[in-house]
Amino acid sequence: YLNWLDDILQIRKTANPVLSTKEYDFKIYDNPTEMMDAIIEKNRIANKARVTAGYCWDWNSKSDIHKMDIVMPQFNFKKQWNLGSDGMLWIVGEDSVNQIGCIHTCQGLELDYVGVIVGPDIIYRNGKILVDPSKRSKNDRSVFGYKKLMNQNPDGTRDILRSIIKNTYRTLMTRGMKGCYVYFVDQELSNLF
């Protein structure tokens, strides 16, 4: 799975261009609500399933707990990022299955199943995985200051941004030890996977 993921994300070429889902439960959803429902169902087994997302939505609920963060009206999908008060405990909190974790709250932690919302910061066009840091939230410090760096060193900055964004999704998609369920904002990237 890890080699296949590196290959399909064009992080590095591997000898695993095809994934066998016999030993690992990998599913693609056309609707984030359906993916969320599947993760909630898996969570009933052992409280070890959560949904994560690329940091493409602002953390509005941090200052107002009544606001929603990740909103996709076409799917009637409205969720908040994980509570700031939970910190790394978000991954085991009883009600946290109804929230969305980001790279900063789940890095280095493992679940049985992970759901991943792949945001608009990564797309697939003409055989290439492309990244767009402008689609990241202004709250995401990992790409902060990239516009200034682009003026100073465009090629080097593009390489760094590609690495940050691709590795964000690699990390999110490897938190589930038994399975990974994914919703892609970009339909062409969904088709590739």
Side-chain angles (χ1 to χ4, degrees):
Y1 175 70
L2 298 177
N3 287 333
W4 170 78
L5 197 54
D6 283 351
D7 197 275
I8 199 163
L9 284 171
Q10 299 175 356
I11 292 172
R12 67 182 176 89
K13 196 81 176 137
T14 73
N16 302 91
V18 177
L19 175 67
S20 169
T21 55
K22 291 178 185 170
E23 294 178 27
Y24 190 75
D25 189 6
F26 185 85
K27 293 180 184 168
I28 297 171
Y29 286 81
D30 293 327
N31 180 321
T33 304
E34 291 173 5
M35 183 194 70
M36 188 85 184
D37 291 344
I39 289 294
I40 289 170
E41 190 61 36
K42 289 292 185 185
N43 191 60
R44 289 190 174 112
I45 299 167
N47 191 34
K48 290 191 174 223
R50 297 291 181 276
V51 174
T52 63
Y55 210 164
C56 297
W57 295 268
D58 291 342
W59 194 4
N60 302 314
S61 64
K62 185 175 187 178
S63 58
D64 182 349
I65 61 166
H66 302 293
K67 288 188 176 179
M68 292 292 138
D69 303 311
I70 301 171
V71 178
M72 295 182 225
Q74 69 273 34
F75 299 109
N76 196 27
F77 187 86
K78 293 183 239 177
K79 295 294 175 186
Q80 292 180 325
W81 285 114
N82 50 272
L83 296 175
S85 59
D86 285 346
M88 290 301 213
L89 294 177
W90 163 81
I91 209 146
V92 294
E94 287 295 320
D95 293 325
S96 65
V97 71
N98 295 307
Q99 301 163 344
I100 309 293
C102 70
I103 184 72
H104 308 297
T105 52
C106 70
Q107 193 168 314
L109 302 172
E110 296 175 349
L111 298 158
D112 286 344
Y113 288 87
V114 68
V116 180
I117 298 171
V118 177
D121 58 337
I122 187 167
I123 63 172
Y124 182 71
R125 298 292 185 274
N126 301 316
K128 290 238 179 245
I129 301 269
L130 305 172
V131 301
D132 184 351
S134 72
K135 302 292 186 189
R136 295 288 269 237
S137 166
K138 65 183 178 290
N139 304 122
D140 183 11
R141 306 300 291 174
S142 67
V143 297
F144 182 77
Y146 81 89
K147 291 178 183 176
K148 180 180 177 185
L149 292 172
M150 284 295 286
N151 291 330
Q152 297 168 351
N153 180 3
D155 292 337
T157 302
R158 274 194 277 286
D159 289 343
I160 290 168
L161 291 169
R162 263 192 302 275
S163 179
I164 288 170
I165 294 172
K166 286 181 179 186
N167 282 304
T168 294
Y169 290 109
R170 184 191 191 278
T171 299
L172 295 178
M173 294 172 79
T174 57
R175 299 305 86 203
M177 298 294 98
K178 295 179 180 178
C180 177
Y181 298 168
V182 188
Y183 167 75
F184 296 92
V185 169
D186 182 61
Q187 187 60 52
E188 288 187 44
L189 188 59
S190 182
N191 294 344
L192 171 69
F193 272 74

